[in-house]
Structure formats: C-alpha cells, structure tokens
Amino acid sequence: MPHIRARLIGAAAVLVSLPLAVAPPVAASAVEPDYTIKVSPDATGAKISKSMYGVFFEDINYAADGGLYAELVRNRSFEFTATDANGFNGLTAWTVDGTATVVNDDQRLNERNRNYLSLNGSVTNAGYNSGIAVQKSDLYDFSIWARGSATLTITLTGAAPLTITTSGDAWRKYTGLLRGTATSDRGRLSVSSSAPVKIDEVSLFPRDTYKGRKNGLRADLAEKIAALHPGFVRFPGGCLVNTGSMYPYDAANNYPRARSYQWKDTVGAVETRATNKNFWGYNASYGLGYYEYFQFAEDIGAMPLPVLPALVTGCGQNRATVDEALLQKYIQDTLDLIEFANGPVTSTWGRVRAQMGHPKPFGLTTVAIGNEENLPEEYFANFVKFEDAIKAKYPSITVISNSGPDDQGGTFENLWAKNKANGTDMVDEHYYNSPAWFLQNNNRYDSYDRNGPKVFLGEYASLDAKFANSLAEAAYMTGLERNADVVKMASYAPLLANIDNVQWKPDMIWFDNDESWGSTSYQMQKLFMNNVGDRVVPSAVSGGGVQLPKPITGAIGLSTWRTAATYDDVKVTRPDGTVLFSDDFGDGNADGWTPVANRGTWTVANGGYAQTTTDTEDTMVKAATITDTDYDYTLKATKQAGAEGFLVAFGIQQTGNFYWWNLGGWNNTQGAVEKGITSAKEQLLTKPNTITTGQTYDLKIQVRGTKVTLFLDGVEWGSFDDNAVTEPFAQVVTTDTKTGELIVKVVNAQDKAAVTKIDLGGRKVAGTAKMTVLTGDPAEQNTRTAEPIQPVTSTIRGVSSSFTREFPANSVTFLRIRTR
C-alpha cells in the first residue's frame, strides 16, 4: 500500500545538475502517476523574504588571505609568528639571498604593525598554493613601504622588472606597475636592494580586481558569489568571531595575538590594521576587513549582516570573560559599527567610512551577536545587554541571537526558551548533518511557533560533497520555503575553500591560485537563489513511499581524541545474556581488533587495551561485527592523560558510517552521541559532561533495533531512537509576481524516475514552460578537472492546468509556468 502524504507545501527554488535529454510530458492516461502534486486554487501562502537565501563568508580554508582577498603576496608585513601556526615565523613564504632580519623595535612602521624587515640583499615571496598567478598582458599594482636610501629592483616571474629609488630615514610608501609578459601559475616576486634598507607591507595586486576596487577582491571568486544573487552576506564568521582573548591589541594587554574578531582592527589604511591569529590555524592580515565586506555586499546587491562577539567564546573553548568594563566597550564598539555603516559623514565613525572612500551610508539593518556559544546562561545575559543598547539607540535594527552549535540538545532548548521569553527578533540556528537527516526532517519548521522569534539558518550543509548531498539539501530547502513565515534567511556554509589549505569540508566554491569551480551544492544553491519567487503557493503531495530506518548493526569500536585511555572487560551480549563477543585482554594481545583510522598507538598493557598518545585525533579500532539487532555492549574505560575523554563506537559499517558515544569531548566540557557519515559527524544527543583522569567508568550501550540507551556507572545517561523515515520526494510551489509565473520545484532524490501528476488548481497557464533540471549520478562531484553536475534549461510543451511529467531519478527540476 503506498504511503500517503498530504502536507501543505509552498515555496521556492531548488536546482542543480548535469546534462540530460529532455523528455516530453507523459500522457495522462499512459502511466499511473507515482505522485500527485495538487496546488491550492486560490489560497495565498507566506510572503518570501527578499533575503531568504544568502551567503556566509568565514575566513576558513584560507578564504580571505590567499582567497577572496586579491593580495598576491603572502606574509606581506612579516607579521607571522608561531602563535598563528606551528612553524610560522616572520619570514614564512619568503626566501633570502643575503641578509634579512625580521625586527620588532621602535623604528617600526606603526604601533599596530609591529614587525618590519631589515634587508641587505634580496627576498623572494612564494605567494599561495603553487605560486603567484601571472597572466600575460595583465597589469599588477606593486607597493612597498621603505625606510632608508637604496635602489630596489622588483622582479615578478613573467613580467618586466621594476626599479624604485628610496630615500630618507622616514617611512614612505612607493608604488609601481608591472605588466605580465607570460602566463604562469608558479610565479615569484623578488625585492632586491642595492644597500641596507628597512621594508614593510610588500604588496602585489592584480589591477583586475572585482569592480576594479583598490585593496579589492579576486575577480573570479567574487563573480561566482555575485552570480548567486544572494539576499545577504553574513560575515566575518564563524568561530573566528568569538574565540581567543577578548582584550584589545594594545600595549596594556601585551598585544594578544590570538583574539576575538574586533572590527576596529580591520578598518583604515591596511598598514595600520592589527594582524591576528585565525582560529582555523593561520594568520589573518585583516586586509579584507569590515569596509571591504560592506563594499562587497553593496556591489552584489546583498544585505550586509555582520556577526559580533559577546564576550563568551564558542567553538569548544567555552569560556566567559567576566569584565564589565570590557563588556561595555564591546557594546559601544557595536554601536560604533552601526555608526560606521550608517552614520553621516559628520559623525565620528561615519567620517572614517567617508575617508575610506564611501561617503554614502551602507544601509545596515541587521546585526548578529555571538556565534555558537555553548554557555547559554553567560551568553544570553550578555546578549540582552547588547540588544538593549542597540534598540535604545537604533530601534529599527534587527538583532539576531543564536541557539548554540547544534540543532538539538540542552543548549539549543535553553537558548530557544530564553529567546522566546525575551521576544528576540531572530534566532540563528546551525547544523551539519547527513543526507539522510535532511531527507528525514523536511517538516522541521512546520511546528515552530508562528508568533515566536524568526529563524535564521545561518549555517547548514549535508556532510559530503557529492550530488546526493545536494539533492538532500534541495529537498530540505523546500521545507524552508514552505515555512517562509518562520524561516527568513538561510545560508549554506562554508562558502570558500582553498584546495591546498582545507580545515573544513564540504564547501561551496573551491579554488587554487588561478582557477575556481563550484561544487554540486554551488550549482544547486545558485538555482535556488535565482528562482526564489516572492510568495508561497500552498500545495500538497500524495502517493509514493518512504524509506524505513534500519536496525543499528555492525562492528564495535574504541577510540580517543587527543587523549590517552585504557579499555577493559569489553563484552557484547544478547538480551538473554548469550555472549557474542568478549575480550578482557588477559592473554596479553588484541588479536580481535583491527585499526580503522591507522592513527595513535594501541597496546595491551597491565591487563587492558591502551591508546597512549595524547596529540592524536580519532584513533579508532574495531572488532566483532554484530549482526543481531538487539544487544548490549559493555566495557570499562579510564582516561590516563590528555585534553578530552574517550569514545566508544558501535554500528560501524564498511561504508564508513558508525555511531560513537563521545564522553569528555570539546575539551572535556560535554558528551554526545555522534553519527559518523564518511569524513564528518552529526550529533544525535548532547549534554554537559566531564571525565576525570584516572577514574574507571563502567559503560553500557543498549541497542534495541533503532533505539539506543546509554548507561554511565549504572545510571541512564541518555537515549535516542534513530528511527526517522526518509522521504526522497519533495516539492514546493511559489509565485513570481513580477514575471507572472508559478515556479514548481520538484526534488526526486531516489534511484527511480517519478511519474507525477501536477494539478495547478484550475489556473489558466501557457502551454509551454521553462524547465531547468539538475541530474546525474548521486556519487558524482564537481572537481578542478571536471564539473559534470550542471543545470540544463529547455522549453517544454504540453503544460496545462493539469498535466503529468516524469521527473528523472536523482534530479531537481524547476518549472517556470506563466499564468494567464
């Protein structure tokens, strides 16, 4: 018997994929439809926000320096230190011929640019990736600050040399122009001096930046983002916003190098901007700063959406800075930011904006306070103070709070309750989950309070970069649009990734030093954003079926994460006590265990199985594939040393899928059950948790089909039931008032075609329609060498108020149908 689903649907766009032959409409009498989409004849659904879909820019994966920021010289001001990353120093990316010394003394360029180079000879910069990309006939703007008298010879691979004469014992900026005479992606820039000289801020920019902006953006990356036509740009993060020291970069605080993102560090002349350690493990020059973010948002017609720290660190640091004077400084900095964006040129910060080249206000309407804080009490107490101050001075500004780092759990529920009680404008949700989760949770926002805070889905992605992930995201987005009265903004994340410097996957746009390409999710997001519509048209779908959940079976496992731990008395039994596997390691070996990750050092010692390294992540080993659907997995675990606790895995499959109970995770601050999908994990259950070094814990994982109950020292710690059904077919209908079109969006995320009857509720429509389809192998992905997943657009005939169409397997289809 087919599963019947009749849910009101309404809303916007979904698309992405690869060439296919366009099939004619299916004759209505030829085939019994698998699905029926029935569009309401006259009901009007929710209005869709103009900022429904946007982009989230975070400086992760070298997205700024070496990425969107067009500067070609790496470590241009010799500021890198080992605080930024292990092995970094003031000459990282430079090679020396002669004598070159990084100096930090009172002859520096300015107080915030602490280092300079004392040069007698030449230095050569390697740029990013394989080198500096040079294009024949293109122009490149060179500049350098120098102190002393010398002749500088500037050479760039594939360009005629440039000579600059410096003079005087004061810092001066010198400029020149280089023209490419050959094309190369392995270029080098050299500065040679005829005499001892001090230099700083060695810079090389392509003249062809996006829209020709000085200190501008790399054109191909900016153009790919602009082609999305995003409704907003969220910036600058992300975890780098609210991690590290909250104190300013000044002498009183010993110039903290790893600190929160403080926007005033990033405006004004680039040589005065204070460098910082990026949370993701490299240096941030802040050449791409708040002014450039605002300018870029304006250039692409998007709403700027800055995220500001709230003096509570997130992203695993979980630390609150208790300093009332500092809190008031941050609140004032937030008010100053609004003045910088919107104030008249006669105001203090409006004048700074004007001096940077933009007298006209940027028109800031929305700010977000904080990012993924996991200390809900401390965060929200601060948030309210920010909100009160902003609303008192700028009552029309929308102030966004957040709900922590995941889509469920204690922090999520606590912060949502607080935001509802407070009447917060909007709440930022973040989650990265499996494709199955997205196909199982299309109705997530159906039950949200229509009178509560609105939702900003600020970060989300399906955990991998294949077309199957994009299909799952597309299906989920139909639910976002159907609930457009609650969900006002959404942005896939992260946006950019440098292929040679990756801290996070998946990502939307990939690049090296001279090429860029869109993932399958980029193609899908692009079609979404360009086919949104302005109002939901309620609709319902019936027919088809669902994919039922499978019991949790597979191997058992042990693992650690930056921790040494010992395990003992491992046993798996049926509910009646029958032993399926047992190992007390009393025989001195671990013959039944095999490595999964090939990391860490595992050894049997003192009657237990120990992993002894404290600097290694994910050291999983496994044993005993369990085919029973009901079983109990028990063991003893002891943390010996290190940053976190221990991990106990079960349901390990050859596909790389598994579950693990993570105790003492996130720097020993919380526990969780995580579901592993290929190289990433989604959280099924989270709660505060700390593991004591040297204490032995009794653990029990009780599996009954899809339901799991966890016991810590004989006490129930938590439970979950991974029993959601997967719905591979999704749809939504919106209308574009400007063009007079219905936009029917259909996702068929299964391996068979879906014959579908579409009843447009008696509407009179044109007999032809524009159809855009993304389809292909669900395991396919777009790469540097091939981008097979591309949309195909055609004109179809046979459209009427009721017609039947076959939607290909593993496809997303947009039909734009003119009404008459």
Side-chain angles (χ1 to χ4, degrees):
M1 178 177 177
H3 171 76
I4 302 299
R5 182 163 54 104
R7 200 164 63 207
L8 284 184
I9 305 286
V14 63
L15 237 58
V16 209
S17 209
L18 148 85
L20 80 164
V22 177
V26 177
S29 60
V31 180
E32 184 70 19
D34 301 303
Y35 297 91
T36 297
I37 298 171
K38 188 171 180 58
V39 182
S40 176
D42 51 13
T44 300
K47 184 177 180 181
I48 301 173
S49 168
K50 291 182 179 179
S51 57
M52 179 68 185
Y53 296 121
V55 295
F56 165 44
F57 180 90
E58 178 172 11
D59 187 2
I60 186 174
N61 308 316
Y62 279 60
D65 296 334
L68 185 61
Y69 185 47
E71 173 65 76
L72 297 172
V73 177
R74 188 177 182 210
N75 191 18
R76 66 184 177 190
S77 59
F78 313 102
E79 294 289 330
F80 283 22
T81 73
T83 302
D84 301 327
N86 186 36
F88 275 23
N89 59 62
L91 283 171
T92 294
W94 296 92
T95 55
V96 178
D97 184 5
T99 303
T101 305
V102 177
V103 183
N104 179 350
D105 63 16
D106 59 7
Q107 294 188 59
R108 65 179 64 88
L109 181 58
N110 59 64
E111 283 302 302
R112 296 169 73 76
N113 190 334
R114 307 287 296 165
N115 292 349
Y116 63 88
L117 192 70
S118 178
L119 176 65
N120 187 11
S122 67
V123 287
T124 299
N125 191 266
Y128 296 87
N129 300 89
S130 61
I132 296 172
V134 181
Q135 188 72 30
K136 184 178 181 179
S137 300
D138 281 4
L139 299 176
Y140 298 87
D141 290 311
F142 174 82
S143 65
I144 189 170
W145 284 80
R147 179 175 178 173
S149 298
T151 299
L152 302 181
T153 301
I154 316 303
T155 57
L156 173 65
T157 303
L162 169 69
T163 300
I164 292 175
T165 301
T166 69
S167 62
D169 192 31
W171 286 103
R172 286 182 54 198
K173 184 177 181 180
Y174 299 88
T175 62
L177 186 65
L178 294 160
R179 182 186 296 273
T181 57
T183 296
S184 172
D185 63 357
R186 299 179 179 273
R188 299 291 188 268
L189 177 76
S190 296
V191 178
S192 299
S193 177
S194 65
V197 68
K198 300 174 178 67
I199 64 171
D200 205 348
E201 288 290 323
V202 182
S203 175
L204 184 71
F205 267 86
R207 175 67 59 87
D208 182 25
T209 60
Y210 184 64
K211 291 191 177 294
R213 301 290 184 196
K214 296 291 186 183
N215 195 51
L217 306 182
R218 179 172 151 175
D220 64 321
L221 293 179
E223 286 163 359
K224 278 185 169 59
I225 299 169
L228 295 167
H229 293 107
F232 64 88
V233 178
R234 177 180 176 236
F235 63 88
C239 287
L240 59 85
V241 166
N242 62 336
T243 48
S245 170
M246 295 291 168
Y247 288 91
Y249 191 71
D250 57 24
N253 293 288
N254 198 29
Y255 298 99
R257 187 48 173 269
R259 63 190 185 281
S260 63
Y261 197 108
Q262 299 167 37
W263 75 269
K264 290 179 181 178
D265 287 345
T266 77
V267 297
V270 293
E271 66 271 11
T272 67
R273 300 183 189 182
T275 190
N276 199 8
K277 169 187 168 63
N278 184 301
F279 171 84
W280 296 108
Y282 51 94
N283 176 272
S285 73
Y286 287 159
L288 175 57
Y290 258 69
Y291 177 84
E292 289 76 24
Y293 287 124
F294 278 119
Q295 181 72 79
F296 181 51
E298 181 178 83
D299 282 344
I300 64 176
M303 179 185 83
L305 175 49
V307 183
L308 299 156
L311 257 68
V312 178
T313 57
C315 303
Q317 294 187 353
N318 300 333
R319 188 175 63 246
T321 301
V322 182
D323 184 330
E324 186 61 31
L326 186 64
L327 176 62
Q328 292 305 314
K329 176 187 180 300
Y330 270 65
I331 291 172
Q332 184 59 52
D333 283 350
T334 302
L335 298 176
D336 291 346
L337 173 64
I338 299 171
E339 182 177 283
F340 174 79
N342 295 349
V345 295
T346 54
S347 65
T348 300
W349 288 100
R351 183 179 304 112
V352 172
R353 181 195 69 242
Q355 289 169 347
M356 293 185 72
H358 202 285
K360 182 181 177 182
F362 283 116
L364 178 65
T365 62
T366 308
V367 298
I369 305 299
N371 174 77
E372 295 188 7
E373 287 78 10
N374 211 22
L375 296 176
E377 305 303 326
E378 294 87 340
Y379 163 71
F380 203 74
N382 285 0
F383 169 79
V384 172
K385 294 178 181 178
F386 277 86
E387 182 188 48
D388 287 347
I390 294 168
K391 293 291 188 181
K393 189 167 184 179
Y394 301 105
S396 64
I397 293 287
T398 297
V399 185
I400 301 176
S401 178
N402 74 74
S403 57
D406 199 22
D407 58 275
Q408 51 77 43
T411 296
F412 178 86
E413 293 168 2
N414 189 341
L415 283 172
W416 257 109
K418 284 178 165 57
N419 281 299
K420 284 183 179 180
N422 181 61
T424 302
D425 293 332
M426 192 176 295
V427 176
D428 186 6
E429 294 189 353
H430 295 178
Y431 39 84
Y432 298 90
N433 292 322
S434 67
W437 186 93
F438 284 97
L439 293 174
Q440 292 163 357
N441 285 274
N442 183 275
N443 62 349
R444 174 180 175 88
Y445 295 106
D446 290 7
S447 59
Y448 271 50
D449 183 357
R450 270 40 206 171
N451 298 312
K454 303 305 180 185
V455 172
F456 170 31
L457 181 47
E459 298 183 32
Y460 75 97
S462 170
L463 292 172
D464 207 346
K466 297 181 174 61
F467 186 49
N469 301 89
S470 305
L471 288 168
E473 292 154 5
Y476 190 72
M477 293 169 85
T478 66
L480 300 183
E481 295 193 0
R482 184 178 66 255
N483 289 283
D485 56 328
V486 169
V487 182
K488 293 299 181 183
M489 297 189 296
S491 49
Y492 179 102
L495 177 62
L496 294 172
N498 184 319
I499 196 168
D500 294 328
N501 295 284
V502 181
Q503 293 82 49
W504 185 276
K505 296 178 182 179
D507 304 284
M508 194 192 297
I509 300 170
W510 290 78
F511 61 92
D512 56 21
N513 61 345
D514 66 340
E515 295 179 286
S516 58
W517 58 98
S519 67
T520 62
S521 289
Y522 171 79
Q523 297 297 343
M524 183 268 290
Q525 291 286 333
K526 183 178 178 181
L527 287 165
F528 246 117
M529 294 188 201
N530 285 276
N531 292 276
V532 182
D534 49 33
R535 189 173 290 277
V536 176
V537 180
S539 61
V541 62
S542 60
V546 298
Q547 298 169 7
L548 298 175
K550 295 180 180 180
I552 297 171
T553 61
I556 60 169
L558 307 169
S559 190
T560 59
W561 196 283
R562 290 187 284 120
T563 303
T566 301
Y567 300 91
D568 203 356
D569 295 337
V570 177
K571 185 180 291 186
V572 182
T573 60
R574 292 185 175 126
D576 65 4
T578 302
V579 177
L580 298 173
F581 175 83
S582 179
D583 198 344
D584 64 4
F585 308 102
D587 59 1
N589 65 59
D591 291 342
W593 297 84
T594 58
V596 174
N598 286 311
R599 289 187 287 269
T601 302
W602 287 91
T603 183
V604 176
N606 302 317
Y609 195 25
Q611 196 294 116
T612 57
T613 65
T614 58
D615 60 352
T616 312
E617 299 178 349
D618 190 6
T619 64
M620 190 188 295
V621 293
K622 69 177 181 177
T625 298
I626 307 300
T627 57
D628 286 44
T629 60
D630 295 356
Y631 56 92
D632 296 328
Y633 174 19
T634 59
L635 70 157
K636 297 181 186 299
T638 308
K639 172 184 174 179
Q640 306 295 355
E644 303 205 351
F646 32 74
L647 302 133
V648 183
F650 55 102
I652 302 171
Q653 300 291 331
Q654 293 297 327
T655 56
N657 292 356
F658 64 91
Y659 301 79
W660 69 19
W661 186 8
N662 184 350
L663 288 164
W666 293 269
N667 291 316
N668 208 14
T669 62
Q670 72 176 24
V673 175
E674 298 177 278
K675 185 176 182 179
I677 304 98
T678 60
S679 61
K681 292 172 285 294
E682 70 177 71
Q683 295 176 19
L684 304 180
L685 172 67
T686 61
K687 62 188 297 184
N689 170 254
T690 300
I691 293 298
T692 302
T693 302
Q695 179 177 335
T696 297
Y697 295 85
D698 287 313
L699 309 179
K700 178 180 177 181
I701 301 171
Q702 177 182 288
V703 179
R704 300 293 183 266
T706 60
K707 185 173 182 179
V708 176
T709 308
L710 307 146
F711 297 88
L712 180 62
D713 288 333
V715 178
E716 184 174 331
W717 185 86
S719 65
F720 69 93
D721 195 345
D722 196 10
N723 66 345
V725 298
T726 300
E727 300 185 54
F729 187 90
Q731 63 85 38
V732 72
V733 181
T734 62
T735 184
D736 186 331
T737 303
K738 185 176 181 180
T739 64
E741 292 173 309
L742 284 176
I743 310 174
V744 179
K745 307 154 195 181
V746 178
V747 183
N748 184 28
Q750 56 190 329
D751 292 331
K752 61 179 182 179
V755 176
T756 305
K757 180 181 178 181
I758 302 173
D759 181 350
L760 297 178
R763 287 176 173 81
K764 294 182 178 180
V765 297
T768 60
K770 177 182 173 182
M771 180 177 75
T772 305
V773 180
L774 272 171
T775 190
D777 183 344
E780 189 62 89
Q781 56 187 320
N782 289 348
T783 68
R784 174 163 44 187
T785 56
E787 297 181 64
I789 304 299
Q790 299 285 338
V792 173
T793 298
S794 62
T795 298
I796 63 169
R797 292 176 170 78
V799 177
S800 64
S801 62
S802 180
F803 65 102
T804 299
R805 181 131 210 115
E806 181 177 284
F807 295 103
N810 301 304
S811 70
V812 186
T813 302
F814 275 75
L815 296 173
R816 297 192 69 113
I817 303 170
R818 284 185 295 109
T819 56
R820 296 191 295 194

